[in-house]
Amino acid sequence: MKQKNIKVAYKSRSTGGSYTQVPKIQLEGRWLEELGFSIGSTIVVEYEDSSLRIRPMTAEEQEGQQRAELEKELASKSAAIRRLQKDLHEDSKRLPHVAESNPGYSSPSKKSSR
C-alpha cells in the first residue's frame, strides 16, 4: 500500500461574531484520479476512533441518495399542496355566497308597442 503524508491545516469560521479555527484536510493530485476519484464524483468518508476511510460512492449508493432526495422533495411539495388546499378551503368559507339568476325565474318580457 502506498502512502502520502499530508499536514492537517486549519480553516477559520465565523460563529456569532468571532472566528474559530477548525481542522482541514486537503487532498489533490492526479493520483486521486488514478484511484477513481474523478472531478465531480461523490465520495464517502467513513470514520471511527482516529481513523478515516475515503472511497468513491458506488452507483447504487448514488441512486439511493438521489431517491432519498427526490422522496424528501416530494414530501415537501405534497405538504405545501395540502397547506394550499386547506387555505383555499378556509378562504372559500369566508367568501359571500351569491345566488345566480335562473332563466326560468326571470320576469316576463315586456311587449313592444306597435
Side-chain angles (χ1 to χ4, degrees), residues 1-8 25-35:
M1 177 179 284
K2 295 182 181 180
Q3 177 176 318
K4 289 273 185 189
N5 295 322
I6 299 170
K7 186 174 183 176
V8 177
I25 299 172
Q26 184 168 330
L27 304 172
E28 60 182 275
R30 294 278 177 218
W31 63 277
L32 289 170
E33 194 168 43
E34 293 168 7
L35 293 172

Side-chain angles (χ1 to χ4, degrees), residues 78-89:
S78 295
I81 288 171
R82 285 191 298 276
R83 282 192 303 273
L84 288 170
Q85 287 173 329
K86 180 182 175 192
D87 291 347
L88 182 61
H89 180 72

Side-chain angles (χ1 to χ4, degrees), residues 58-90:
T58 65
E60 292 82 16
E61 288 172 320
Q62 288 178 0
E63 289 171 5
Q65 183 182 35
Q66 192 174 36
R67 183 178 294 111
E69 290 170 0
L70 289 172
E71 287 173 354
K72 183 178 177 182
E73 183 181 355
L74 177 61
S76 172
K77 289 183 178 184
S78 295
I81 288 171
R82 285 191 298 276
R83 282 192 303 273
L84 288 170
Q85 287 173 329
K86 180 182 175 192
D87 291 347
L88 182 61
H89 180 72
E90 294 298 319

Side-chain angles (χ1 to χ4, degrees), residues 1-27:
M1 177 179 284
K2 295 182 181 180
Q3 177 176 318
K4 289 273 185 189
N5 295 322
I6 299 170
K7 186 174 183 176
V8 177
Y10 71 92
K11 179 174 179 108
S12 295
R13 289 189 182 166
S14 175
T15 53
S18 64
Y19 286 94
T20 305
Q21 292 181 346
V22 295
K24 172 185 168 180
I25 299 172
Q26 184 168 330
L27 304 172

